[in-house]
Amino acid sequence: MGRTSGSANRPAVTGDVAAMAQFKISSWNIKHMHDAIAPGGKDAARLPFIREQIAQMDPDILCITEATPDLPLLRQWAATLHVPYVVPTIPGTDAALAALPHNPRKALCGLYGYPDNVLSGSQWIWFLVKAGHNLGAELQDPKIWRRFAASQYTDAADQARSDGKWGLFYWAERKAGTWGHVRQPQVLVATIGGARVELIGAHLRSKLNRTNPKDVWTDDTSSEFADPFLREVMNDRIKLATEAENIRKYVDARFAQDAAPAVMLMGDLNDGPGREVFERKHLYFDLIGNLQGSIFEAERFLNHALFDYGAPASGTGAGLRWSYKLSGKDPVDPTRDPHLLLDHIMFTQRLVAKDQFPRIRSGAGLVEHAIHERVNALRPKKVPETSDHRPVSVVLSLA
């Protein structure tokens, strides 16, 4: 397929990570991945192009969202990529698989913190790490996440919880309840360039808008939202915001333990900088602000890999700082720019500190537009795109 050597923004490198000058980390939502890699899967025709896109990106670590829940299948597939990759796991994984070998998803739901339901059943988060690297990479038990995050809540009931849930309070309503991650964030702990780095892989809940005009508007003029629709949409966004807040609680807990932790957050957050119609008129905040933290605690503020990448251009498609394009106009906000940034990589100040490595320098982040377009230009029209999301990457300098 006309493969190039190495990534579009760094030279190809081989050998032990200690000998590298750069280390690339990518995050990609591979739409319905299980349908592509499962034997006889309905989207199997996409698989060669997915493999080629990964080869041309050439990440040292790849975080995949919407990944298959079938870990044995993923392991087999990862070992056959352009270079072999391994899939780090939580201790006890193989024993859990052995106890229920014919249903790997169900076997691992409890251990990995996923609810055993339809919403999270086919969209898991995994990290792929080049097999030749000696990173000591391992996924962290979600019990650690839950206890760390709970310690940062102010309500005693939330502090005492160990089930991964937290209090959920609806705006201007007496109604309250609990909520938890639809897809439990997964934390990869690895030694990169001599430093212990935590990589948080996340895939937050969708906004789940209904689009039937009979449900959305009070009349045919499409000028005023119907009360049931508005209530549902606002409640969905409140749940999404509390998932982001729970991630922030985990990061704050790490700062309570370490003055300068090296933490990266990546994945499909199902929202981006800026406010669409519901945020503009009702919520008055955007999701990323909840995650990045307060400028009054600047040492805890999360930097964004795409802060100084590309030239944003509203509505023209000329800007580069987007990872997902709506297939048509937003049915409830038709003037909205269809180019959205839903996929992110953020990181703590430790990873931009002068004279310390690994270090993320200015201009080190990108959306993999060129590789995505080049690979998909070669697929037959009847074959779906590799994904509806573009991967996002960042390069760490190791020396």
Side-chain angles (χ1 to χ4, degrees), residues 143-218:
K143 293 188 184 72
I144 296 174
W145 175 284
R146 292 173 174 180
R147 290 174 181 171
F148 283 9
S151 72
Q152 301 300 302
Y153 283 94
T154 55
D155 290 354
D158 288 332
Q159 293 176 2
R161 299 189 71 93
S162 60
D163 59 359
K165 295 183 182 295
W166 53 84
L168 179 66
F169 301 93
Y170 298 97
W171 281 36
E173 293 185 31
R174 298 179 188 275
K175 182 177 67 171
T178 59
W179 188 251
H181 286 286
V182 173
R183 292 166 284 253
Q184 171 65 41
Q186 301 295 322
V187 180
L188 179 74
V189 181
T191 301
I192 302 174
R196 181 187 190 275
V197 182
E198 292 184 28
L199 291 79
I200 302 171
H203 187 185
L204 299 188
R205 64 162 284 135
S206 301
K207 292 178 177 178
L208 298 176
N209 292 351
R210 290 183 295 180
T211 57
N212 186 337
K214 294 181 180 179
D215 295 331
V216 174
W217 308 105
T218 57

Side-chain angles (χ1 to χ4, degrees), residues 244-301:
E245 178 67 10
N246 185 260
I247 293 175
R248 185 68 226 188
K249 296 296 188 192
Y250 177 85
V251 174
D252 286 343
R254 290 293 295 111
F255 276 101
Q257 303 157 356
D258 188 332
V263 178
M264 302 183 70
L265 167 63
M266 62 197 65
D268 177 4
L269 304 184
N270 269 313
D271 205 351
R275 303 172 185 172
E276 43 98 345
V277 61
F278 300 105
E279 280 79 15
R280 291 196 309 268
K281 293 186 175 181
H282 301 281
L283 289 175
Y284 306 109
F285 65 80
D286 75 327
L287 184 89
I288 300 303
N290 288 351
L291 289 164
Q292 287 190 298
S294 170
I295 194 63
F296 295 104
E297 295 180 319
E299 71 283 355
R300 298 187 178 199
F301 193 79

Side-chain angles (χ1 to χ4, degrees), residues 30-338:
I30 303 179
K31 181 180 180 180
H32 300 161
M33 183 190 186
H34 184 77
D35 292 338
I37 73 168
K42 65 179 182 179
D43 280 348
R46 291 166 52 209
L47 192 57
F49 301 95
I50 293 172
R51 295 168 64 96
E52 181 64 18
Q53 188 161 336
I54 293 172
Q56 292 197 28
M57 288 161 50
D58 193 35
D60 296 292
I61 294 178
L62 174 61
C63 175
I64 302 177
T65 56
E66 283 200 37
T68 177
D70 189 331
L71 176 58
L73 178 64
L74 182 66
R75 282 171 160 170
Q76 294 171 12
W77 178 77
T80 66
L81 293 175
H82 67 290
V83 296
Y85 283 80
V86 296
V87 186
T89 57
I90 295 170
T93 292
D94 289 335
L97 288 171
L100 198 61
H102 302 299
N103 193 338
R105 182 193 64 79
K106 192 172 187 66
L108 298 181
C109 269
L111 181 61
Y112 283 75
Y114 288 100
D116 187 7
N117 58 35
V118 174
L119 281 176
S120 63
S122 61
Q123 298 183 358
W124 282 38
I125 303 163
W126 295 106
F127 290 89
L128 272 57
V129 178
K130 280 187 176 177
H133 295 344
N134 182 23
L135 306 181
E138 186 175 85
L139 281 189
Q140 181 174 273
D141 193 312
K143 293 188 184 72
I144 296 174
W145 175 284
R146 292 173 174 180
R147 290 174 181 171
F148 283 9
S151 72
Q152 301 300 302
Y153 283 94
T154 55
D155 290 354
D158 288 332
Q159 293 176 2
R161 299 189 71 93
S162 60
D163 59 359
K165 295 183 182 295
W166 53 84
L168 179 66
F169 301 93
Y170 298 97
W171 281 36
E173 293 185 31
R174 298 179 188 275
K175 182 177 67 171
T178 59
W179 188 251
H181 286 286
V182 173
R183 292 166 284 253
Q184 171 65 41
Q186 301 295 322
V187 180
L188 179 74
V189 181
T191 301
I192 302 174
R196 181 187 190 275
V197 182
E198 292 184 28
L199 291 79
I200 302 171
H203 187 185
L204 299 188
R205 64 162 284 135
S206 301
K207 292 178 177 178
L208 298 176
N209 292 351
R210 290 183 295 180
T211 57
N212 186 337
K214 294 181 180 179
D215 295 331
V216 174
W217 308 105
T218 57
D219 54 38
D220 293 337
T221 65
S222 300
S223 60
E224 185 175 337
F225 292 120
D227 285 345
F229 171 74
L230 183 59
R231 189 177 304 112
E232 179 187 17
V233 167
M234 295 303 295
N235 288 349
D236 285 339
R237 280 157 177 75
I238 289 168
K239 292 173 181 176
L240 177 64
T242 67
E243 288 194 24
E245 178 67 10
N246 185 260
I247 293 175
R248 185 68 226 188
K249 296 296 188 192
Y250 177 85
V251 174
D252 286 343
R254 290 293 295 111
F255 276 101
Q257 303 157 356
D258 188 332
V263 178
M264 302 183 70
L265 167 63
M266 62 197 65
D268 177 4
L269 304 184
N270 269 313
D271 205 351
R275 303 172 185 172
E276 43 98 345
V277 61
F278 300 105
E279 280 79 15
R280 291 196 309 268
K281 293 186 175 181
H282 301 281
L283 289 175
Y284 306 109
F285 65 80
D286 75 327
L287 184 89
I288 300 303
N290 288 351
L291 289 164
Q292 287 190 298
S294 170
I295 194 63
F296 295 104
E297 295 180 319
E299 71 283 355
R300 298 187 178 199
F301 193 79
L302 297 185
N303 297 271
H304 201 292
L306 302 179
F307 177 78
D308 53 2
Y309 169 71
S314 179
T316 66
L320 297 174
R321 206 176 297 151
W322 60 273
S323 64
Y324 180 89
K325 183 180 178 182
L326 296 173
S327 58
K329 290 183 178 180
D330 186 325
V332 298
D333 194 4
T335 62
R336 185 185 189 192
D337 188 335

